[in-house]
């Protein structure tokens, strides 16, 4: 990493604000960059933040350029349109942040090279393309490149309930549901963003790539060379496991040895969706190895808890299925569908009356549905992990979180009153004492020279979102009452604080939608439509808050001014929502019959709105019948309360026998991942943890200098090359633009069964 160059343009006031702690961190970074000996192992979050990512900031770099807005809006349109199209596709493709970063870099350098910098053209090419422009573009386009959950609700209303809210109400529904989480998350910045402990490990490869792309030092050139070599190699390599040689997706010696045993499929298979648990299967496809979380970025402590959860998952799943708990053998081993007792898929629409509510007579005719046993475990352990999250963080991380409610103290209220200014667009002065905080992220301390996007901006965003939502829930025939909406907001606020903390520290993100759906079902029984809206505001707000805070951390690491980051997020989110709405209506108008069919086509599919509607009916209509005390799946609800007790024995053990190091375990992660293998392709587990061990333990402890300089840039290259190739293959051969073209049948491409040669189970 480059050190701070003498004579770089910094104001005298800024130099005075450099604390001794920050200067110490800067000197540590210089040692790494200069190649001096004696470098130690990175032990904690602050070490990683100050050694892997450069602390240096050049205040003269300008992100507010016409070029940044043009590329940002263009990629926002690209990402927003593509995300919505793929919502209605059988082949799912996500427009990743890494992909957007690479494309925006290429476009930025192209504009810098091709456009003159004189005359009127200087507005398009005012100076060399810089890191802050690139970060600004990525934040804007990534905010747009998601299919808003609100369009899912609107699509279900149009497809299954023949309700078409007017366009104005629909667009404002998208705006309010997308920005609600922004408002709440923004108000938690002092807890979830500023401290060094809030590392956000998942973005380290991206930021490391930015550092390498925009620095001229010899060390950075070596990083850049490694990046492009690894990028090119993985780009070519992914052609093999993804298309030519898909056996490499999951190579299982057990499946090859025994190609007739369904039990081998369930335990050792995993190269195809919902095939099996993938025990000891070896995956050579980086898309699946790094599909959820990059194993080279997540800290070892989180990885260790994750591994324990996976091991327990395999044990519990096999025990539940082979002991026939919850009649598991009557249903597929892995599935998230609802079933009749005979194992056929449950038709949920047959239990609804003309008011779209559950009819007791029709329900009695059809009978209560069943879940696959492994899916029940997933629901149970999700609730177990949620309860454990609250208890674990209150026990182990109370000091990290207490600022979230410190504003309610008399001194906090006096401070807010002292800094109150009706001119909400101005700085609220809340950062004036932050530089004295020893836990403050050194990167954020560098940001103190820029005007803040004050709390009042996020408070106004939250207030507008709440007001809009309260109007819209009645204008869109949601059946969700005002008090139900407020409950969902309170639930989202609590969840953002706790699950946002866990995500910021570990890099692991919990999917809490089933829990939100269950709560919505209990307080609005028999109303699937209300359940959908309850989930929209309660669950989507948590996701949006985490995305906001992740992007603000990207801005913090790249020294993008806070107001630029806020602007990019708002523009990208609003622009993407409008595009989502336009595309959704166009696709439904032209493909309605296909979207309503069970099988769809190889071009269009309604599987996602169908699934969302099914879950809303199952949870919103049948929570009392399935999950209440004394009912079939009562332990799913009880697990939430039991989860509060899980961390306590580990805390007591640490107090009594500290050498056992039970403080090293994240009990919520262990609980949550006991149910993680319930769906999808599971062949990558062994490869994932092998690479995680090599990166986060062997390289970090044995070769700390190499780890510091190259681990995260290599991770970025592997992700980037993979995602670019997957994007190309999606259109070229996987049916994203029409017909799919599978590679011809041969031993390494078993197109007529499971790729790993395990027997195909008919179920």
């Amino acid at each position: 990493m480059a050190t701070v160059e003498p004579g770089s343009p910094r104001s005298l006031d800024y130099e005075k604000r450099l604390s001794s702690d920050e200067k110490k961190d800067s000197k540590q970074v210089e040692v790494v960059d200069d190649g001096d000996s004696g470098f130690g192992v990175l032990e904690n979050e602050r070490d990683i933040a100050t050694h892997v990512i450069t602390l240096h900031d050049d205040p003269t770099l300008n992100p507010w350029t016409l070029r940044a807005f043009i590329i940002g809006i263009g990629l926002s349109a690209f990402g927003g349109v593509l995300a919505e199209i793929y919502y209605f596709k059988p082949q799912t493709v996500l427009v990743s942040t890494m992909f957007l970063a690479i494309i925006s870099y290429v476009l930025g350098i192209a504009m810098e090279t091709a456009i003159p910098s004189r005359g009127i053209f200087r507005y398009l090419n005012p100076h060399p393309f810089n890191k802050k422009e690139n970060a600004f573009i990525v934040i804007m386009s990534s905010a747009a490149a998601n299919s808003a959950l609100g369009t899912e609700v609107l699509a279900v209303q149009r497809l299954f309930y023949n309700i078409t809210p007017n366009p104005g109400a629909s667009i404002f529904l998208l705006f309010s549901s997308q920005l609600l989480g922004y408002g709440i998350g923004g108000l938690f910045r002092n807890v979830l963003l500023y401290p060094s402990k809030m590392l956000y490990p998942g973005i380290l490869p991206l930021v490391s790539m930015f550092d390498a792309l925009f620095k001229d030092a010899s060390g950075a050139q070596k990083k850049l060379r490694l990046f492009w070599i690894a990028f090119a190699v993985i780009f070519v390599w992914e052609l093999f496991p993804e298309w030519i040689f898909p056996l490499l997706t999951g190579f299982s010696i057990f499946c090859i040895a025994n190609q007739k045993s369904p039990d081998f499929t369930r335990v050792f298979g995993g190269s195809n969706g919902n095939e099996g648990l993938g025990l000891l299967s070896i995956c050579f496809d980086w898309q699946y190895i790094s599909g959820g979380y990059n194993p080279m970025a997540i800290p070892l402590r989180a990885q260790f808890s994750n591994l324990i959860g996976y091991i327990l998952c395999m044990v519990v799943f096999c025990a539940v299925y082979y002991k026939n708990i919850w009649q598991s053998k009557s249903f597929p081993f892995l599935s998230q569908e609802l079933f009749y007792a005979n194992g056929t898929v449950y038709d949920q629409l047959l239990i609804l009356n003309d008011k779209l509510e559950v009819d007791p007579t029709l329900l009695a005719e059809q009978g209560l549905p069943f879940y696959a046993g492994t899916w029940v475990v997933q629901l149970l352990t999700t609730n177990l992990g949620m309860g454990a999250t609250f208890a674990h963080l209150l026990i182990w991380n109370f000091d990290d979180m207490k600022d979230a409610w410190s504003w309610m103290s008399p001194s906090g209220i006096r401070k807010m009153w002292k800094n109150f200014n009706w001119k909400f667009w101005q700085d609220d002065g809340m950062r004036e004492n932050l530089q004295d905080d020893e836990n403050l992220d050194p990167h954020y301390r560098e940001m103190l020279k820029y005007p803040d996007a004050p709390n009042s901006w996020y408070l106004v965003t939250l207030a507008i979102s709440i007001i809009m939502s309260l109007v819209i829930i009645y204008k869109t025939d949601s059946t969700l009452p005002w008090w139900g909406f407020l409950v969902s907001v309170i639930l989202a606020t609590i969840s953002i604080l706790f699950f946002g903390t866990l995500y910021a520290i570990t890099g692991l993100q919990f999917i809490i939608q089933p829990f939100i759906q269950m709560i919505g079902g209990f307080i609005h029984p028999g109303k699937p439509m209300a359940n959908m809206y309850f989930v929209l505001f309660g669950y989507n707000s948590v996701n949006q808050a985490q995305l906001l805070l992740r992007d603000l951390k990207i801005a913090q690491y790249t020294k993008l001014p806070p107001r630029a980051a806020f602007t990019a997020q708002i523009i990208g989110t609003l622009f993407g929502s409008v595009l989502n709405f336009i595309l959704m209506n166009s696709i439904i108008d032209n493909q309605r019959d296909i979207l309503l069919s069970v099988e769809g086509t190889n071009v269009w599919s309604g599987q996602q709105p169908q699934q969302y509607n099914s879950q809303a009916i199952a949870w919103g209509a049948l929570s009392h019948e399935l999950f209440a005390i004394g009912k079939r799946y009562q332990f799913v609800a009880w697990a939430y309360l039991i989860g509060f007790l899980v961390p306590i024995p580990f805390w007591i053990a640490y107090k009594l026998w500290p050498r056992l190091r039970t403080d090293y375990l994240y009990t919520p992660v262990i609980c949550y991942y006991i149910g993680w293998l319930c769906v999808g392709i599971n062949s990558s587990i062994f490869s994932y943890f092998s690479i995680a061990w090599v990166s986060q333990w062997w390289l970090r402890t044995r070769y700390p200098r190499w780890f510091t300089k190259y681990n995260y840039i290599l991770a970025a290259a592997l992700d980037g090359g993979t995602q670019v190739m997957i994007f190309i293959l999606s259109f070229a051969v996987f049916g994203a633009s029409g017909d799919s073209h599978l590679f011809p049948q041969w031993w390494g491409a078993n197109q007529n069964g499971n790729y790993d040669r395990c027997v195909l189970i008919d179920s």
Side-chain angles (χ1 to χ4, degrees):
M1 299 178 206
T3 58
V4 179
E5 298 179 1
S8 60
R10 294 189 177 189
S11 67
L12 179 61
D13 178 63
Y14 169 56
E15 290 286 356
K16 291 179 179 178
R17 287 207 306 266
L18 279 173
S19 68
S20 59
D21 185 46
E22 180 185 3
K23 291 177 179 177
K24 177 187 70 175
D25 289 328
S26 298
K27 290 176 182 178
Q28 290 173 338
V29 175
E30 289 180 23
V31 170
V32 177
D33 292 341
D34 294 340
D36 294 340
S37 60
F39 182 74
V41 178
L42 303 185
E43 296 290 351
N44 54 42
E45 294 84 358
R46 191 181 188 88
D47 285 347
I48 295 174
T50 55
H51 289 75
V52 172
I53 304 168
T54 179
L55 281 171
H56 170 57
D57 175 37
D58 183 352
T60 65
L61 296 181
N62 177 30
W64 300 98
T65 64
L66 184 59
R67 174 175 57 202
F69 276 96
I70 290 174
I71 299 176
I73 291 175
L75 285 181
S76 295
F78 168 78
V81 168
L82 199 63
E84 192 62 26
I85 289 175
Y86 270 99
Y87 174 72
F88 295 102
K89 287 279 188 180
Q91 173 68 30
T92 301
V93 172
L94 301 178
V95 186
S96 72
T97 304
M98 187 67 72
F99 176 79
L100 292 171
I102 293 170
I103 298 302
S104 61
Y105 174 78
V106 172
L107 293 174
I109 296 299
M111 289 186 70
E112 173 194 329
T113 304
I115 298 175
S117 57
R118 298 178 180 178
I120 193 172
F121 293 106
R122 70 180 183 276
Y123 295 106
L124 288 175
N125 188 17
H127 47 66
F129 187 65
N130 63 58
K131 179 167 65 174
K132 294 185 182 182
E133 285 181 284
N134 207 341
F136 181 86
I137 294 167
V138 167
I139 290 174
M140 182 187 295
S141 56
S142 66
N146 293 290
S147 177
L149 187 61
T151 61
E152 198 161 8
V153 174
L154 295 172
V156 169
Q157 283 187 291
R158 287 199 59 185
L159 289 170
F160 299 102
Y161 301 100
N162 294 317
I163 296 174
T164 304
N166 71 71
S170 299
I171 290 177
F172 280 112
L173 172 68
L174 298 181
F175 286 172
S176 61
S177 60
Q178 291 293 89
L179 295 179
L180 183 63
Y182 280 9
I184 301 171
L187 294 175
F188 283 140
R189 299 192 318 287
N190 63 321
V191 178
L192 300 179
L193 182 68
Y194 300 157
S196 291
K197 184 171 286 189
M198 305 304 163
L199 183 64
Y200 292 86
I203 65 173
L204 294 179
L206 174 68
V207 180
S208 183
M209 182 184 73
F210 281 151
D211 283 350
L213 291 175
F214 292 99
K215 287 163 65 176
D216 297 325
S218 60
Q221 288 301 309
K222 292 179 182 178
K223 283 186 176 183
L224 201 55
R225 190 182 311 119
L226 173 65
F227 175 83
W228 288 119
I229 290 174
F231 183 97
V233 170
I234 197 70
F235 177 82
V236 175
W237 169 256
E238 278 298 310
L239 190 64
F240 291 90
E242 279 297 308
W243 189 51
I244 298 174
F245 197 178
L247 176 64
L248 296 174
T249 297
F251 185 86
S252 174
I253 190 66
F254 298 94
C255 286
I256 293 175
N258 188 340
Q259 301 180 25
K260 297 181 179 180
S261 171
D263 293 331
F264 269 50
T265 299
R266 296 184 183 101
V267 177
F268 301 109
S271 63
N272 292 66
N274 288 12
E275 179 190 350
L277 302 178
L279 178 61
L280 299 180
S281 181
I282 303 174
C283 179
F284 297 93
D285 188 341
W286 190 258
Q287 180 197 5
Y288 296 111
I289 294 173
S290 184
Y293 307 103
N294 192 308
M296 302 174 71
I298 304 301
L300 184 64
R301 181 178 172 186
Q303 301 274 23
F304 183 69
S305 298
N306 198 349
L307 175 61
I308 294 175
Y310 275 123
I311 293 172
L312 291 174
C313 178
M314 295 181 185
V315 174
V316 172
F317 275 18
C318 290
V320 166
Y321 183 80
Y322 288 106
K323 291 292 185 180
N324 201 29
I325 300 173
W326 299 303
Q327 299 177 234
S328 296
K329 288 189 175 182
S330 300
F331 317 112
F333 181 55
L334 302 179
S335 178
Q336 55 183 336
E337 299 280 357
L338 287 170
F339 298 94
Y340 291 103
N342 62 7
T344 58
V345 177
Y346 194 82
D347 189 343
Q348 299 161 55
L349 296 180
L350 296 180
I351 63 175
L352 300 182
N353 58 24
D354 55 1
K355 295 181 180 179
L356 307 177
E357 298 177 353
V358 173
D359 187 304
T361 302
L362 296 176
L363 179 60
E365 293 175 359
Q366 297 297 317
L368 287 172
F370 290 79
Y371 282 110
T374 53
W375 185 252
V376 178
V377 174
Q378 192 273 338
L379 297 174
L380 190 152
T381 55
T382 296
N383 284 352
L384 195 70
M386 289 195 65
T389 298
F390 294 111
H392 182 97
L393 293 177
L394 288 174
I395 291 174
W396 297 103
N397 298 88
F398 181 82
D399 290 339
D400 301 318
M401 302 175 63
K402 62 183 180 182
D403 286 345
W405 49 82
S406 63
W407 62 272
M408 293 185 292
S409 66
S411 60
I413 294 174
R414 284 196 300 269
K415 183 177 180 181
M416 284 195 300
W417 178 254
K418 176 184 176 181
N419 293 293
F420 175 77
N421 186 354
W422 67 271
K423 298 178 180 179
F424 63 85
W425 55 89
Q426 296 179 353
D427 197 327
D428 56 13
M430 297 296 287
R431 301 193 302 173
E432 58 186 16
N433 296 321
L434 282 178
Q435 55 187 323
D436 299 326
D437 184 359
E438 62 180 13
N439 294 318
L440 191 68
D441 190 330
H443 292 277
Y444 184 71
R445 188 172 281 118
E446 288 277 335
M447 301 280 283
L448 295 177
K449 59 181 172 290
Y450 299 113
D452 191 21
N455 282 340
S456 55
W457 290 20
Y458 293 98
L459 191 60
V460 169
T461 301
L462 176 61
I464 292 175
S465 299
I466 290 176
I467 293 171
M468 280 196 298
S469 299
L470 286 170
V471 174
I472 295 303
I473 58 176
Y474 290 99
K475 291 292 184 181
T476 55
D477 300 316
S478 70
T479 71
L480 180 69
W482 64 268
W483 60 268
F485 165 75
L486 295 180
V487 170
S488 71
V489 173
I490 294 171
L491 195 59
T493 302
I494 297 172
S495 299
I496 288 168
L497 174 60
F498 284 88
F499 293 98
T501 300
L502 196 65
Y503 173 55
I505 294 174
T506 67
L508 302 175
Q509 192 171 11
F510 283 14
I511 299 174
I512 63 171
Q513 181 176 340
F515 172 75
I516 302 294
Q517 284 180 314
M518 184 178 68
I519 296 298
F522 276 116
I523 65 176
H524 302 296
K527 295 183 177 181
M529 185 75 72
N531 189 269
M532 284 192 292
Y533 276 83
F534 188 86
V535 171
L536 172 63
F537 295 113
Y539 167 65
N540 187 60
S541 297
V542 178
N543 276 354
Q544 287 297 105
Q546 290 177 335
L547 289 175
L548 170 116
L549 292 161
R550 180 205 67 183
D551 288 347
L552 289 179
K553 200 68 176 186
I554 293 174
Q556 187 169 299
Y557 285 151
T558 58
K559 315 305 181 293
L560 178 69
R563 296 187 177 187
F566 181 89
T567 302
Q569 287 172 316
I570 297 298
I571 291 176
T573 300
L574 298 183
F575 187 43
S577 296
V578 173
L579 294 174
N580 287 170
F581 176 73
I582 293 172
L583 264 294
M584 178 206 71
N585 280 317
S586 176
I587 293 170
I588 291 178
D589 289 341
N590 293 286
Q591 310 295 337
R592 183 182 184 89
D593 292 339
I594 294 175
L595 298 179
L596 287 171
S597 66
V598 175
E599 64 278 357
T601 69
N602 65 341
V603 179
W604 300 106
S605 171
Q607 59 183 353
Q608 295 202 62
Q610 289 174 20
Q611 179 183 346
Y612 191 72
N613 181 55
S614 297
Q615 292 297 325
I617 294 174
W619 289 100
L622 302 176
S623 287
H624 284 275
E625 288 77 6
L626 292 175
F627 303 105
I629 297 175
K631 303 299 182 181
R632 183 187 302 146
Y633 302 127
Q634 61 174 325
F635 290 107
V636 171
W638 279 111
Y640 180 73
L641 297 177
I642 297 172
F644 281 96
L645 304 176
V646 171
I648 296 176
F650 295 90
W651 180 76
I652 294 174
Y654 178 71
K655 294 298 182 181
L656 296 177
W657 307 286
R659 290 188 177 182
L660 291 178
R661 292 309 308 271
T662 54
D663 62 319
Y664 195 78
L665 300 175
Y666 287 114
T667 49
V669 173
I670 295 174
C671 293
Y672 186 77
Y673 280 90
I674 294 175
W676 183 251
L677 299 177
C678 56
V679 293
I681 293 175
N682 297 324
S683 59
S684 62
I685 305 304
F686 180 80
S687 299
Y688 175 91
F689 285 108
S690 298
I691 294 171
W693 178 82
V694 169
S695 169
Q696 291 291 325
W697 186 82
W698 189 68
L699 287 175
R700 184 177 63 85
T701 59
R702 303 298 178 87
Y703 301 95
R705 182 178 300 281
W706 195 98
F707 176 87
T708 301
K709 298 180 74 172
Y710 300 116
N711 179 75
Y712 293 98
I713 194 67
L714 179 59
L718 295 175
D719 278 354
T722 297
Q723 289 163 12
V724 172
M725 174 54 80
I726 296 302
F727 190 81
I728 294 172
L729 288 177
S730 296
F731 284 92
V733 297
F734 291 157
S737 57
D739 295 334
S740 60
H741 304 280
L742 298 177
F743 198 80
Q745 172 79 20
W746 70 287
W747 182 82
N750 184 27
Q751 308 294 2
N752 300 316
N754 293 319
Y755 288 133
D756 55 16
R757 294 283 169 171
C758 273
V759 65
L760 185 65
I761 301 175
D762 295 327
S763 58

